[in-house]
Amino acid sequence: MRLRALATTAACGLALLFAAAPSASAAEGRFTYVYNDPSGAPHLGGLVDPPSGVCITLREVEHPWTTPAHSPRNDTDATAVVFSEANCEGDHFSLRPHGGHASERLKVRSVVFS
């Protein structure tokens, strides 16, 4: 009887071990972009070691009445997919890891890293 209880306990422990959620991962490095303040002056914004697999709306340009950010540069170790709208909606474009970038013609409001 003890052997059966021990086996059941061990099986449950292994099931919990394999069912545990994976640890959160992050893209290592920096992602930068240019945004304009209400007066039109340009500023450099950025994310350092952003989480992977999570949509990030750029706070400076999250509202539709603001001018979108532009000139994104991906110096992380993950692919960055940038979106023209908040909440990773609208048109999208992929930037390769370690230096992928785009010109000021690419308008950006959100990003997700793979």
Side-chain angles (χ1 to χ4, degrees):
M1 191 69 155
R2 275 194 175 146
L3 187 57
R4 183 177 294 160
L6 183 60
T8 302
T9 302
C12 289
L14 284 174
L16 285 174
L17 178 65
F18 290 113
S23 61
S25 61
E28 293 183 14
R30 185 174 171 99
F31 175 81
T32 58
Y33 51 91
V34 176
Y35 68 95
N36 296 330
D37 66 19
S39 71
H43 297 276
L44 186 64
L47 305 169
V48 177
D49 297 337
S52 296
V54 176
C55 178
I56 301 168
T57 297
L58 307 177
R59 64 180 175 80
E60 300 92 348
V61 296
E62 66 184 327
H63 301 293
W65 61 82
T66 60
T67 303
H70 59 85
S71 306
R73 181 171 181 87
N74 182 22
D75 288 317
T76 71
D77 61 355
T79 298
V81 180
V82 295
F83 292 83
S84 61
E85 301 299 327
N87 303 314
C88 295
E89 295 180 355
D91 295 332
H92 63 279
F93 185 80
S94 294
L95 299 172
R96 66 178 170 75
H98 306 293
H101 61 281
S103 73
E104 64 185 43
R105 292 186 303 171
L106 182 63
K107 306 305 181 194
V108 179
R109 288 191 191 272
S110 55
V111 61
V112 65
F113 296 86
S114 60

